[in-house]
């Protein structure tokens, strides 16, 4: 094995190690790999970079033009969340004296950690919501301070159940870009406490159950306590898409629909901004 091959393997190993590090932080990445190249550029095969949400990269492809193409493809994959093959004429990526028929093929693969739904409250809405979340691919954490409600019997689909007061439980969880927080406790005081403790965390979604009257009161109280209005407006409350839901199961569907919309980059109507 020659020195160039060893260096290539070392670069690729470093990229994979960086990818694992980002995933452990809860950060998704798009992995872009050269899967086809003309014979004269066979050494390019397997070279890869990872591309973050804002276009930040780790690693570098053999030419600047090829790197630019990779970033364009990665941006499309970030939007679609679907893998993509891209064929590029070799004379467009900085390779010299090559037939126009030759091409370089990039494979862009979205690699994201599983999203996690953290349900604060183990009541009647939480049960069907946990089941729905698991069905559509979420890891599920349920938190309640009552042993009868924070139990495996009530939540057989949950990956993690924490039975503790909310203040303690919130210290045990990690919240990141793949976290979706749903506040559906048994009372306004608990809802407010959980929102007050989680607002501003780097979650993908924070939603709180409640009537519009309750939401307006909560917003007023948060403002009086000096919470940044922009953070308040990012909270989805009343929680869920307005489909006229009445039963716990219907409310769970409305919440899940809103979260799926947020996860897929679609606009969702619910926010404290709309409840002014």
């Amino acid at each position: 094995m020659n020195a160039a091959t060893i260096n290539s393997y070392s670069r690729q190993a470093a990229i994979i190690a960086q990818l694992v590090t980002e995933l452990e932080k809860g950060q998704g990445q798009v992995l872009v790999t050269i899967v086809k190249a003309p014979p004269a550029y066979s050494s390019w095969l397997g070279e890869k970079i990872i591309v973050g949400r804002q276009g930040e990269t780790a690693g570098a492809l053999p030419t600047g033009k090829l790197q630019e193409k990779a970033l364009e493809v990665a941006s499309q994959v970030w939007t679609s969340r679907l893998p993509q093959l891209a064929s590029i004429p070799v004379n467009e990526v900085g390779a010299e004296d090559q037939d126009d028929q030759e091409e370089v093929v990039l494979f862009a693969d979205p690699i994201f950690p599983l999203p996690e739904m953290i349900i604060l409250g183990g009541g009647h809405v939480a049960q069907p919501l946990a089941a729905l979340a698991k069905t559509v691919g979420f890891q599920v954490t349920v938190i309640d301070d009552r042993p009868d409600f924070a139990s495996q019997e009530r939540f057989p689909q949950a990956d993690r159940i924490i039975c503790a007061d909310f203040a303690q439980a919130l210290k045990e969880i990690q919240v990141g870009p793949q976290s979706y927080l749903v506040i559906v406790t048994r009372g306004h005081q608990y809802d407010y406490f959980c929102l007050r403790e989680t607002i501003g965390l780097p979650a993908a979604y924070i939603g709180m159950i409640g009537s519009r009257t309750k939401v307006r009161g909560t917003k007023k109280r948060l403002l009086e306590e000096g919470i940044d209005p922009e953070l308040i407006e990012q909270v989805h409350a009343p929680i869920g898409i307005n489909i006229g839901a009445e039963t716990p199961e219907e409310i769970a569907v409305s919440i899940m629909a809103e979260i799926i919309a947020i996860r897929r980059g679609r606009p969702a109507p619910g926010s404290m901004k709309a409840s002014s």
Side-chain angles (χ1 to χ4, degrees):
M1 187 178 295
N2 60 37
T5 301
I6 293 173
N7 288 337
S8 176
Y9 286 163
S10 296
R11 289 194 301 272
Q12 293 177 44
I15 293 299
I16 296 302
Q18 181 65 29
L19 176 62
V20 171
T21 297
E22 294 301 318
L23 289 172
E24 288 174 344
K25 295 177 184 176
Q27 302 285 351
Q29 301 287 306
V30 173
L31 177 66
V32 184
T33 305
I34 300 174
V35 295
K36 181 181 177 182
Y41 293 90
S42 59
S43 62
W44 290 5
L45 289 172
E47 293 291 341
K48 52 180 59 67
I49 60 171
I50 55 175
V51 183
R53 180 65 176 172
Q54 304 302 322
E56 66 276 17
T57 62
L61 294 183
T63 72
K65 290 183 178 180
L66 189 55
Q67 183 99 350
E68 290 176 10
K69 294 289 186 181
L71 290 174
E72 291 175 10
V73 176
S75 177
Q76 296 168 12
V77 171
W78 265 107
T79 300
S80 68
R81 301 294 178 104
L82 297 173
Q84 184 173 323
L85 278 171
S87 299
I88 307 160
V90 71
N91 58 4
E92 292 184 11
V93 296
E96 299 177 354
D97 302 324
Q98 288 298 304
D99 190 324
D100 291 347
Q101 303 286 325
E102 298 279 13
E103 62 184 14
V104 176
V105 179
L106 302 175
F107 177 61
D109 190 18
I111 302 177
F112 303 132
L114 284 177
E116 180 184 21
M117 180 178 290
I118 301 170
I119 305 175
L120 295 157
H124 297 312
V125 172
Q127 283 186 288
L129 180 59
L132 280 173
K134 196 65 181 175
T135 298
V136 298
F138 282 71
Q139 292 183 315
V140 177
T141 294
V142 178
I143 298 171
D144 202 291
D145 57 355
R146 299 166 292 176
D148 289 346
F149 286 78
S151 69
Q152 200 69 50
E153 290 73 25
R154 281 179 66 81
F155 295 98
Q157 304 90 350
D159 299 282
R160 179 171 56 160
I161 299 171
I162 300 175
C163 183
D165 67 79
F166 292 110
Q168 179 60 40
L170 289 171
K171 294 177 182 178
E172 296 182 21
I173 63 173
Q174 290 186 332
V175 175
Q178 296 296 318
S179 302
Y180 295 75
L181 302 179
V182 176
I183 302 171
V184 286
T185 75
R186 63 184 181 277
H188 175 62
Q189 62 177 336
Y190 297 105
D191 286 343
Y192 183 82
F193 174 81
C194 290
L195 179 58
R196 181 66 178 78
E197 292 299 304
T198 57
I199 196 169
L201 292 179
Y205 172 96
I206 299 175
M208 184 188 73
I209 201 165
S211 66
R212 292 193 177 277
T213 299
K214 170 185 169 180
V215 169
R216 283 194 294 269
T218 298
K219 179 178 180 179
K220 181 175 182 291
R221 185 176 173 185
L222 289 170
L223 288 170
E224 289 172 348
E225 292 188 12
I227 302 301
D228 186 339
E230 291 188 6
L231 294 180
I232 296 172
E233 290 177 359
Q234 292 171 16
V235 176
H236 293 264
I239 200 169
I241 291 174
N242 185 4
I243 57 173
E246 295 183 1
T247 67
E249 292 77 13
E250 291 171 346
I251 294 169
V253 169
S254 76
I255 295 170
M256 199 70 248
E258 182 172 66
I259 287 175
I260 290 172
I262 297 297
R263 184 185 177 197
R264 298 304 183 189
R266 300 295 180 88
S271 71
M272 281 193 164
K273 182 176 183 179
S275 302
S276 299

